[in-house]
Amino acid sequence: MNSTQQALPRLIERLPPGRVMQDAAFGVAFESDGLTAFHQKPLAVVIPETTEEVVTTVRWCHEAKIPFVARGSGTSLSGGSLPIAGGIVIALNRLKKILSLDPVNRTAVVQPGVVNIKVTQAALQHGLYFAPDPSSQTVCTIGGNVAFNSGGAHCLKYGMTSNHVTGMKVVLANGECVEFGSDSTDAIGPDYPGLFCGSEGLFGIATEITLRLLPKPEKFHTVLVGYRTLQAAGDAVSAVIESGLLPGAMEIMDALSIEAAEAAVNCGYPKGCAAVLIVELEGPRERVEYETEQLRTIIARTDPFAEHIATTEAERLSIWKGRKCVFSAVGHISPDFLVQDGVVPRNRLGEALVHIQEISRDSGIRVANVFHAGDGNLHPMILYDGNVAGEFHRAEEVCSRIIKMCIDMGGSITGEHGVGMEKRDFLPDMFDAATIELFHRIRGAFDPQEVANRGKMFPAADAPSLSMSGLHPLEKQGVISRE
Amino acid sequence: MNSTQQALPRLIERLPPGRVMQDAAFGVAFESDGLTAFHQKPLAVVIPETTEEVVTTVRWCHEAKIPFVARGSGTSLSGGSLPIAGGIVIALNRLKKILSLDPVNRTAVVQPGVVNIKVTQAALQHGLYFAPDPSSQTVCTIGGNVAFNSGGAHCLKYGMTSNHVTGMKVVLANGECVEFGSDSTDAIGPDYPGLFCGSEGLFGIATEITLRLLPKPEKFHTVLVGYRTLQAAGDAVSAVIESGLLPGAMEIMDALSIEAAEAAVNCGYPKGCAAVLIVELEGPRERVEYETEQLRTIIARTDPFAEHIATTEAERLSIWKGRKCVFSAVGHISPDFLVQDGVVPRNRLGEALVHIQEISRDSGIRVANVFHAGDGNLHPMILYDGNVAGEFHRAEEVCSRIIKMCIDMGGSITGEHGVGMEKRDFLPDMFDAATIELFHRIRGAFDPQEVANRGKMFPAADAPSLSMSGLHPLEKQGVISRE
């Protein structure tokens, strides 16, 4: 019996019955997140029903020095909500109330377990919506969006989650409760809500989050353009940006992604394209109509192979259906795959795509590409068959080479999926030792015992006490792995 | 001879000649900032010419435990760049290079001593500009804008400085050099540049700052509307916001501010108004034309007393001239004045203005009001004559009552001028003890010795070692004061 098991009874007696689950079968549902290559059973799953129960649980973790990971729907793609050995999961799914919604000041205060799309559904009656739209928005929670500062197809225009969070109440990892920000964008001093957004669960648990809501655009103009080459699609993105237009979204899918989407949802994209570009303009009617003309002129100069303009909302949703399903659709063309997340400078997108094709050819591993083209955020999907000996390792190697390419091009190891477990050993490629040491000290200001999501974000070498069963040796290189 | 004087020779020998000024007459220029009610001579002023010299100076401060304040043009209105007894000033005015400007990625990398307007002047040749526009933009520096997360008339639409800084190199207060962020908005982990913006000089000195540039608007539509009551002007702001329009700027001036502006620059605002509202639309031509029609309809319903639409760029600048000169113009109608900075919820603006008028009547102290109406940020100017016995104290009392009103209404003690020295004792009215304690710990992660801008932002009781000569006893209440 280890220390957690010895300490657990003290937690159980402080909480109402039924909150602490120790059943191993139950734990299976929590042993992985969206990055299924990692898995680790937690010693217990705690399911609080009130903020006070969250505080009680975190205080117990702090006192007993038991690591915890807070979890919403577990859609993290970087292992961010993976438990560690000897640690517990705090599942926030029952904290799912929209506490208030103020249509005049355009704010909503929500609990962390509220599903992203539910905020928009509640706001729509007032003509408002919540802008961050991760592909997983029908299941992922606001708490997770805050932890990973999630983006989405429309973050080109509207920014990431941190641009839409103005205040929060937080249970720090030491069990103290604090409050940052307000419902205004005029904040006092440093941007503490911004510090908390993207902290990947290392600082504590946000129990109430104040979100900024935006007026729903009056009109959309959504166009799908097919190209004969990926390069042509990339060049079209540069042309749009250089014109001064700021579309709500600009997304590229390559031939393999299109094939997957067609197999999964029969989205009817034009046949024979090497790539499609989706551009969506949105805003007041006259403005969109004006920009539509500008866009038409720009696109005409990019030698398009095919073009489809949505004339109804149903057609618009049909265009988006192909794009939004891609991550799940890839299962139709490959038994296994890894999703990567990297950033290159926007003006080197074409070069990056050519390089990824070379890596794919070299390795004999197929790579399907979708990306938030407007901000240089790539999501290559590395396809492999786990039953073919050595394929998984070659897929890992491809992931690693793509991330190294992003670093070499002056980009970033993550655009929106986070560092989590997957990329922690790449952190020193992005920041020097003094900067990482500062990050450690800031973390220490929130969590001196390092109980909150221990083992994530910082290089494995910084967490020598971390015991994690079953990880592949390659995990040490920061490349994802599995048992 | 105190400890600074004993330690200074060790700094002088590490720097090239002429960098350390100990002449008391020279120090006079640095004994106050824009909040002249406070003054304190520094023991020395260091004027570094390179980043390396900044690092050398900060390291010496850390080793010798000598407090420092970094300073640009000293335009802070909250005492943020005021020296303290036994401390030095690090004047960054010679670090004024624009290191690079990338028109494709729309970024500029600048040193901290670059004057705000110089960035826009350099960017204009590429059709770009730097959005944050404090009233002091022709003199204030980017380093100061970062420290205080400065806003300006156009922050309604474009946000504060932190929304336009994507990366920075920093000398921490412990002398270490670190680097945050990048030239992309896709950042890794917490928003460290956002944490540094608004840290009021307590974390260290930013030596290179990466700024985001925006395309210059194709067209402006600037309208000045006169009203018979302040309330009517406030209601017009609500009507514009509720319509869904997002103007670049929305500013109100009351009768006394108008009187000051007329006396100073003869701006020709309509006679007999109780208030004027300036609304500026900006963006692509067709969009602005469309919004102009919307605005016309809204304004027509607000019972305007007079209306003036700028038809030329000269007329536009003439409208802005009155607004931008107000802080300096008030000298024409009052021998002395204090500028306050507070925030109320946008929808309680009218109520706040009525309350300020009551406070003014009660106290017999005139208050002139200008404000960034779109975001509820008030700048009351409290007029007094320092030669009339007791007037200064009554003016201070008015300041204090206005700030307490902002707190009671659920607003904030500062919109953009910062906490600095002026409002440090109000911090506990905005944050509870646990939250302030966390802020202390985060500061400790940057500056364990508390040498960087010691005595600012945190309540005086938290800095018992602070020795500051000549402060009035009322300073303990957080109300500004002078010898």
Side-chain angles (χ1 to χ4, degrees), chain B residues 387-431:
Chain B
N387 291 321
V388 175
E391 271 220 349
F392 174 66
H393 293 298
R394 276 157 53 217
E396 281 182 318
E397 183 62 28
V398 167
C399 274
S400 180
R401 286 179 65 186
I402 291 173
I403 285 304
K404 287 189 174 114
M405 173 200 77
C406 291
I407 296 167
D408 291 344
M409 289 177 77
S412 167
I413 59 175
T414 172
E416 55 189 7
H417 296 176
V419 177
M421 178 64 84
E422 185 192 13
K423 290 181 184 155
R424 54 186 188 156
D425 287 331
F426 282 112
L427 207 68
D429 291 315
M430 296 297 299
F431 299 103

Side-chain angles (χ1 to χ4, degrees), chain A residues 74-388:
Chain A
T75 53
S76 169
L77 288 165
S78 62
S81 47
L82 185 76
I84 63 168
I88 66 163
V89 170
I90 303 178
L92 298 168
N93 312 67
R94 290 188 189 160
L95 294 168
K96 58 179 181 186
K97 284 201 197 87
I98 295 178
L99 300 168
S100 67
L101 200 156
D102 177 347
V104 174
N105 283 313
R106 294 182 188 158
T107 55
V109 181
V110 307
Q111 290 188 314
V114 171
V115 167
N116 175 298
I117 196 78
K118 297 276 181 192
V119 180
T120 290
Q121 285 169 353
L124 270 181
Q125 60 180 303
H126 307 287
L128 303 171
Y129 79 113
F130 179 60
D133 62 338
S135 293
S136 55
Q137 71 181 127
T138 53
V139 285
C140 68
T141 63
I142 298 296
N145 295 170
V146 166
F148 285 86
N149 193 17
S150 303
H154 291 76
C155 67
L156 171 62
K157 182 164 187 174
Y158 295 106
M160 314 295 276
T161 298
S162 64
N163 298 108
H164 302 271
V165 171
T166 64
M168 49 177 68
K169 290 187 182 171
V170 169
V171 187
L172 299 186
N174 69 2
E176 285 177 355
C177 296
V178 302
E179 197 170 344
F180 303 139
S182 66
D183 57 2
S184 149
T185 49
D186 290 328
I188 297 175
D191 181 8
Y192 294 111
L195 180 69
F196 199 87
C197 283
S199 59
E200 302 200 359
L202 271 69
F203 292 171
I205 299 176
T207 55
E208 289 187 18
I209 304 150
T210 305
L211 306 175
R212 198 161 69 98
L213 304 173
L214 298 183
K216 192 169 163 12
E218 197 179 19
K219 185 176 164 66
F220 292 98
H221 172 76
T222 311
V223 54
L224 177 93
V225 192
Y227 289 97
R228 288 181 194 84
T229 64
L230 251 182
Q231 179 77 43
D235 290 348
V237 169
S238 298
V240 171
I241 293 282
E242 274 159 32
S243 77
L245 273 184
L246 182 57
M250 236 182 336
E251 303 278 313
I252 292 180
M253 294 166 64
D254 72 2
L256 213 45
S257 300
I258 299 168
E259 183 187 329
E262 290 292 352
V265 299
N266 193 16
C267 49
Y269 287 178
K271 304 239 177 292
C273 300
V276 295
L277 167 66
I278 300 171
V279 185
E280 183 162 276
L281 303 170
E282 53 177 74
R285 183 171 306 281
E286 270 82 355
R287 182 194 181 181
V288 171
E289 284 165 5
Y290 166 66
E291 292 185 348
T292 296
E293 284 310 306
Q294 274 190 284
L295 183 65
R296 193 196 310 273
T297 311
I298 297 163
I299 295 292
R301 287 194 210 113
T302 59
D303 191 22
F305 170 74
E307 192 170 353
H308 174 58
I309 296 170
T311 54
T312 63
E313 178 66 8
E315 285 182 16
R316 172 178 171 251
L317 294 178
S318 158
I319 287 178
W320 276 112
K321 194 168 150 196
R323 168 60 188 89
K324 292 233 169 183
C325 79
V326 166
F327 291 160
S328 49
V330 164
H332 287 258
I333 59 166
S334 177
D336 297 290
F337 71 100
L338 303 169
V339 179
Q340 232 342 318
D341 167 47
V343 180
V344 297
R346 188 163 62 198
N347 55 344
R348 298 185 69 180
L349 204 55
E351 193 184 331
L353 294 173
V354 169
H355 199 86
I356 291 174
Q357 285 175 328
E358 286 166 6
I359 293 172
S360 172
R361 258 199 309 274
D362 272 9
S363 61
I365 293 284
R366 291 184 304 164
V367 179
N369 285 289
V370 289
F371 34 99
H372 304 319
D375 49 9
N377 185 191
L378 312 168
H379 289 312
M381 289 166 293
I382 293 88
L383 314 186
Y384 68 96
D385 183 345
N387 291 321
V388 175

Side-chain angles (χ1 to χ4, degrees), chain A residues 106 190 195 241 286 290 441 445, chain B residues 106 190 241 286 290 441 445:
Chain A
R106 294 182 188 158
L195 180 69
I241 293 282
E286 270 82 355
Y290 166 66
R441 293 199 303 270
Chain B
R106 295 184 187 156
I241 293 282
E286 269 83 354
Y290 166 65
R441 293 199 303 268

Side-chain angles (χ1 to χ4, degrees), chain B residues 218-435:
Chain B
E218 196 179 18
K219 184 175 165 66
F220 291 98
H221 172 76
T222 310
V223 55
L224 177 92
V225 192
Y227 289 97
R228 288 181 192 84
T229 64
L230 252 181
Q231 180 77 45
D235 290 348
V237 170
S238 299
V240 171
I241 293 282
E242 273 160 32
S243 78
L245 273 184
L246 181 56
M250 228 175 348
E251 302 278 309
I252 292 180
M253 294 166 65
D254 71 2
L256 212 46
S257 301
I258 298 168
E259 183 187 329
E262 290 294 349
V265 300
N266 194 15
C267 50
Y269 286 179
K271 304 240 177 292
C273 299
V276 295
L277 167 67
I278 300 172
V279 185
E280 183 162 275
L281 302 170
E282 53 177 73
R285 183 170 306 280
E286 269 83 354
R287 183 195 180 180
V288 171
E289 284 165 5
Y290 166 65
E291 292 185 347
T292 297
E293 284 310 306
Q294 274 190 285
L295 182 65
R296 195 196 309 273
T297 311
I298 296 163
I299 296 291
R301 286 194 211 114
T302 59
D303 191 22
F305 170 74
E307 193 170 350
H308 174 57
I309 295 169
T311 55
T312 63
E313 178 66 6
E315 285 183 13
R316 173 179 170 250
L317 294 179
S318 159
I319 287 178
W320 276 112
K321 194 168 151 197
R323 168 61 187 88
K324 292 234 169 183
C325 79
V326 165
F327 290 159
S328 50
V330 164
H332 288 258
I333 59 164
S334 177
D336 297 293
F337 70 100
L338 303 169
V339 180
Q340 231 345 315
D341 167 48
V343 180
V344 297
R346 190 162 61 197
N347 54 344
R348 298 185 69 181
L349 204 52
E351 192 185 333
L353 294 172
V354 169
H355 199 85
I356 290 174
Q357 285 174 328
E358 285 165 5
I359 293 172
S360 172
R361 259 198 310 273
D362 272 9
S363 61
I365 293 284
R366 291 184 303 165
V367 179
N369 284 290
V370 290
F371 33 97
H372 304 317
D375 49 9
N377 185 192
L378 311 167
H379 290 313
M381 288 167 295
I382 292 89
L383 314 186
Y384 69 97
D385 182 346
N387 291 321
V388 175
E391 271 220 349
F392 174 66
H393 293 298
R394 276 157 53 217
E396 281 182 318
E397 183 62 28
V398 167
C399 274
S400 180
R401 286 179 65 186
I402 291 173
I403 285 304
K404 287 189 174 114
M405 173 200 77
C406 291
I407 296 167
D408 291 344
M409 289 177 77
S412 167
I413 59 175
T414 172
E416 55 189 7
H417 296 176
V419 177
M421 178 64 84
E422 185 192 13
K423 290 181 184 155
R424 54 186 188 156
D425 287 331
F426 282 112
L427 207 68
D429 291 315
M430 296 297 299
F431 299 103
D432 64 17
T435 306

